[in-house]
Each structure stands twice: as C-alpha cells, then as structure tokens.
Amino acid sequence: MLISEIVDANGIVRVAIRSGDTARIVRDAASVYALAMEATRSGEGLVALIHRKGLGDAVDLEAAYRDGRLRSPISHPDPAHLHLTGTGLTHLGSAATRDAMHKKLADDGEEDLTDSMKMFRMGIEGGKPAAGTVGVQPEWFYKGNGAFAVAPGAPLVSPDFAKDGGEEPEIAGIYVIGDDGTPFRVGFALSNEFSDHVTERVNYLYLAHSKLRNASFGPEILVGALPEDIRGTSRILRGGKPLWEKPFLSGEANMSHSIDNLEHHHFKYALFRQPGDVHVHMFGTATLSFADGVRTEPGDVFEISAPDFGLPLRNPLSMADAVPVRVKAL
C-alpha cells in the first residue's frame, strides 16, 4: 500500500492510498499524521484503520503533482516536532565515495586509513547483529526540523554561503512516537538527502555543517516491509534533458547495517522518543553525482525513482539570497 497527501480543489488536505494504479481518498482522515496517531492509539494498525474508515473518490496523483498539490506525505502541525536525521556509510560501496573525499597520506607516503573507512569496516563487521543483540552504531547526523522539509516538486534551496548543492538518493524510514514514547514505523519513502559535498570534503569535521540543508521525501510512503533489494535511478535534468543518470541500490541486501540496527541506534535516545513527534530518518546511499564530477546549477531538477515507491521524487534546485545576520544584545 502507498499513502500520500494532496490538496483538493477546495484547498482541503486529503489522504490518498493506492495498491495499484488507482488512488482513492481515505474517508475521515485529516492527514497522514492524524491517521498514524489514531492507529497508535487504537492498536489496530494503520492498514486495518484505513480499511475500517473506507475509501472515497478516486484521485489523479500525477495531475496533483503537476499542479503542485502534492504535499510531503507526512508533516507535523508544529514543524519543530518533525526531525530530519540520517546515517551514512551504511551501504556497500559507500565508503569508496566517502573515502575518496577524505583520503590523506601518512608521513611516510603510504595511504592512511581514514575515519570513513574505519566506520565502514565497523559496519561490515557488526552492522547486522544476531537477533536479540545490538550491533555497532553507525555514523549519524542531524539535518533539521520540519522547517527544512521540502514537498515533492518544491525547490531545494541552497543557502548563499554553500559551496555545493548535491543530491543523495536514499530510502527514509517514517515514524511517529506514540503517547507512551513507543516509536511506530509508518513506512518507507524515497528521499533526497540534499547536502553540501564540497564543504564536507574540506574536513570530515565539517560533515555536520554540510548536512544542515533542506531534504525532500515522498511523494508516497510505502506501508509494509522494506524490500530486500531496491533498485532505483537517480538523475539530474538540466533544461529538461538528462545531465547525469545513474542507478542506485538500497535495501538490506545492499547494506552493511540492518534497518533494525539503524532504528535502534536512533531511537535509543530518549530525546527521539517524545510523544507525538514525527521522525524522517534517512538510511544512506552509495551513489552521488558529485563523485562523478557533476556541479549542479540553479534550475537543475533532481529526480529519484524506484518502482516499489510509486511516483518519482522531483525537486528543482534554487539558491537563497544572502541574508545578513547579526546578533543583538537584549
């Protein structure tokens, strides 16, 4: 089942679901967030709740996309209570890209082992623990709150001080926190973990700066298990024509960490188990246009697609104007 949010002709937010080509409105559902929280409280599960509510009119999701009426597939009434986070070095092959960005030479001229490669090896050796045990913790980063979440079709805005604005095609886990602090997974979605790779390359300790950027996810959430082997395509369009295109792989068959392990190491922090919060947690990638020497420009369109996840995720790139910031004493 795929679930999404649209704005209808009257400006009202509607929840849409589909299991094939036809999407239908879920009756008596104000938002995906409201639906998910109701499911946590009823104990019946999201799919069962949707079936109980029933379905209404059919809707054309592609037309809504073209018209700019597709929303992020989940949001929070207070954007400060939606958390955008992620993990890196979790995919087989991802260390090669990162290691090339951080490679350094030892004093004797021999290649030194970078922190990136050390983290990657830790994941290979301990990222998929046996059932009932805890594996090695991954690299983790914070991207921002709901104020940085960009709807499908809307621009990813690179700040004026950025050195680069590049895509990262990823799968994200979508979660709500129940009233008793229990994390509940709504499902999985495509995501663009938009980052500044030039800033990151300067020094690994700039990773935190490079990640404080917009992110987009959706347009639809896949409700149910994550496929073991996900094969998608990441492309950049310039002037409506492909500038760069490459396949990307995800799913546990292509990862050095299990999803359970990544979830554990995120939600082990009580900070991330606050009742009512929403989490969009991105699981990493091994495919970057930056690694192939591509420099993006305003107006370029990022497109990320994978058959299991419904409509492709598209976002144009734009640049923010310079905003002078001065701190004033009270």
Side-chain angles (χ1 to χ4, degrees):
M1 176 184 291
L2 294 162
I3 189 167
S4 57
E5 281 188 9
I6 66 169
V7 178
D8 70 13
N10 297 314
I12 299 172
V13 174
R14 303 290 189 187
V15 175
I17 69 151
R18 66 188 180 105
S19 298
D21 294 333
T22 302
R24 306 188 77 86
I25 296 299
V26 179
R27 292 194 179 102
D28 191 29
S31 66
V32 171
Y33 173 72
L35 200 62
M37 291 305 296
E38 184 177 350
T40 69
R41 291 163 182 151
S42 69
E44 61 189 310
L46 183 58
V47 174
L49 176 62
I50 289 170
H51 288 319
R52 177 166 63 80
K53 287 179 174 291
L55 304 180
D57 294 339
V59 292
D60 188 336
L61 289 183
E62 293 190 6
Y65 208 170
R66 290 193 299 270
D67 296 342
R69 293 186 291 108
L70 267 182
R71 290 164 45 97
S72 295
I74 194 168
S75 59
H76 192 286
D78 178 356
H81 287 276
L82 186 151
H83 305 273
L84 298 170
T85 56
T87 57
L89 299 173
T90 54
H91 283 62
L92 303 175
S94 62
T97 299
R98 183 74 67 81
D99 203 44
M101 293 167 61
H102 300 291
K103 188 166 289 185
K104 57 184 182 288
L105 296 176
D107 291 340
D108 62 1
E110 294 181 3
E111 290 185 359
D112 194 14
L113 191 64
T114 65
D115 288 340
S116 296
M117 189 57 74
K118 291 175 184 176
M119 286 290 293
F120 182 72
R121 286 187 177 179
M122 288 167 62
I124 290 288
E125 294 168 0
K128 292 183 175 179
T133 65
V134 175
V136 67
Q137 63 185 4
E139 175 193 67
W140 181 96
F141 54 83
Y142 174 73
K143 286 194 66 67
N145 60 25
F148 268 26
V150 171
L156 291 162
V157 181
S158 190
D160 69 284
F161 53 80
K163 306 298 183 185
D164 169 62
E167 85 301 330
E168 295 205 14
E170 306 191 12
I171 304 302
I174 313 297
Y175 309 88
V176 296
I177 309 301
D179 294 334
D180 64 353
T182 299
F184 289 89
R185 187 193 311 116
V186 179
F188 301 93
L190 296 172
S191 67
N192 189 338
E193 197 269 288
F194 182 64
S195 300
D196 183 343
H197 302 104
V198 172
T199 293
E200 180 189 344
R201 187 175 60 179
V202 172
N203 189 299
Y204 188 71
L205 297 180
Y206 279 172
L207 176 72
H209 287 281
S210 75
K211 295 298 187 182
L212 287 172
R213 300 291 188 271
N214 286 159
S216 188
F217 58 97
E220 301 176 85
I221 297 172
L222 175 66
V223 179
L226 185 69
E228 283 281 317
D229 184 15
I230 298 166
R231 296 173 181 264
T233 302
S234 180
R235 61 173 57 93
I236 298 174
L237 306 175
R238 181 172 291 173
K241 298 179 180 179
L243 171 71
W244 174 89
E245 181 175 316
K246 204 165 189 176
F248 74 91
L249 301 176
S250 194
E252 288 191 2
N254 303 296
M255 296 173 66
S256 53
H257 285 261
S258 66
I259 299 300
D260 283 349
N261 194 52
L262 299 179
E263 290 175 337
H264 166 79
H265 286 294
H266 179 69
F267 290 111
K268 68 184 181 184
Y269 295 100
L271 171 65
F272 297 140
R273 300 194 306 273
Q274 299 303 302
D277 281 3
V278 174
H279 290 258
V280 178
H281 190 57
M282 288 155 267
F283 296 133
T285 189
T287 304
L288 307 173
S289 66
F290 178 79
D292 291 339
V294 175
R295 293 300 303 267
T296 57
E297 299 176 358
D300 289 350
V301 176
F302 302 111
E303 183 181 274
I304 299 168
S305 61
D308 294 303
F309 294 87
L311 296 174
L313 176 62
R314 300 189 191 98
N315 298 94
L317 171 64
S318 69
M319 295 292 297
D321 295 330
V323 178
V325 177
R326 298 188 65 183
V327 177
K328 297 181 179 180
L330 291 175

